[in-house]
Amino acid sequence: MLVAAAACPCPPLLVPEVAAGAAPELDAARAACTDALGVLAASRPDLLVVVGPDDGAGTHAYPAGTPGSFRGFGVDLDVRLGEGDGAGGELPYGLAVGAWLLGRTGWADAPVEGRGVGESLAPDACLAEGQRLVGRADRVALLVMGDASACRTLKAPGYLDERAAPYDAEIARALGSADTAALRALDPGLARELKVSGRAPWQVLAGAAEGRAGLSGVLLHEDAPYGVGYVVATWS
């Protein structure tokens, strides 16, 4: 059963060592992520699953202890997803940011494992994956990593697209109100055009919450620094 969830952005810039001189610009987002992890801890899960974007069209399991690195961003910084042998290869960047958040807050409230979700995974497959994940333990919490559009300004990675701001506003509303129907309805094609990395992870969350009455959402943070939409929300 899903007992709580947190949605957090996953840009490597969230890590101060990667952001360097620009680090203070994301202080509010980091603080909101810390608050979101507090909600997960308060739910007393038996298992925390970190869900994030991955390459390809399928899913990939990352066991407890899987390592990650920010060396590809010019920073000599390694992370590890919880405690374990980590036989699942290396974490993709979104899950590495999740591992960094957990390490930063000293997560020790439940075992942790990761699930990479291919950015092209079909909505129905995402929903089914969410349903499978909540069957992993009696009380499951999800930390869902993903960014909204990358097309909010002229200098954004995807340049300016007039559809980006309303898209991100709807994402913030849906995550902030635990609107699973809105998340289920997200269109993969539009998400790809707007360079949204969170579409598949958010649809996994919608699948995990299916049939779970009484969940309510809280929007903790919404902003678009560097022209990329970042949303932090919790469900409990």
Side-chain angles (χ1 to χ4, degrees):
M1 180 180 70
L2 181 70
V3 293
C8 291
C10 63
L13 287 173
L14 205 60
V15 179
E17 291 88 342
V18 175
E25 297 179 34
L26 292 180
D27 279 348
R30 293 186 195 97
C33 290
T34 298
D35 291 342
L37 289 180
V39 172
L40 297 183
S43 72
R44 305 187 311 281
D46 299 321
L47 174 68
L48 173 66
V49 183
V50 185
V51 181
D54 209 341
D55 295 331
T59 62
H60 190 88
Y62 295 94
T66 301
S69 172
F70 295 98
R71 296 175 190 271
F73 300 93
V75 175
D76 186 13
L77 177 64
D78 298 321
V79 293
R80 190 169 290 275
L81 187 66
E83 301 292 333
D85 296 333
E90 184 168 327
L91 297 172
Y93 80 89
L95 291 181
V97 173
W100 176 82
L101 286 173
L102 293 171
R104 177 174 182 258
T105 56
W107 177 271
D109 298 273
V112 181
E113 61 184 47
R115 186 67 53 144
V117 185
E119 293 193 36
S120 59
L121 190 67
D124 286 350
C126 292
L127 298 173
E129 181 64 20
Q131 293 166 21
R132 282 193 292 270
L133 289 181
V134 293
R136 301 273 294 122
D138 288 340
R139 299 178 61 83
V140 175
L142 298 184
L143 173 56
V144 183
M145 310 298 296
D147 300 337
S149 75
C151 302
R152 292 281 291 271
T153 66
L154 292 174
K155 294 184 178 180
Y159 198 65
L160 177 64
D161 190 312
E162 64 183 12
R163 300 172 295 176
Y167 183 96
D168 289 358
E170 172 60 10
I171 290 298
R173 186 205 64 77
L175 290 174
S177 60
D179 187 343
T180 58
L183 296 179
R184 287 197 303 269
L186 293 176
D187 176 59
L190 178 58
R192 183 168 53 252
E193 292 173 12
L194 295 178
K195 300 187 181 300
V196 176
S197 70
R199 188 277 306 174
W202 296 330
Q203 290 187 319
V204 171
L205 170 60
E210 186 172 323
R212 176 71 169 88
L215 283 174
S216 61
V218 177
L219 181 64
L220 300 180
H221 180 78
E222 193 269 329
D223 199 2
Y226 319 116
V228 181
Y230 299 152
V231 178
V232 183
T234 59
W235 295 11
S236 60

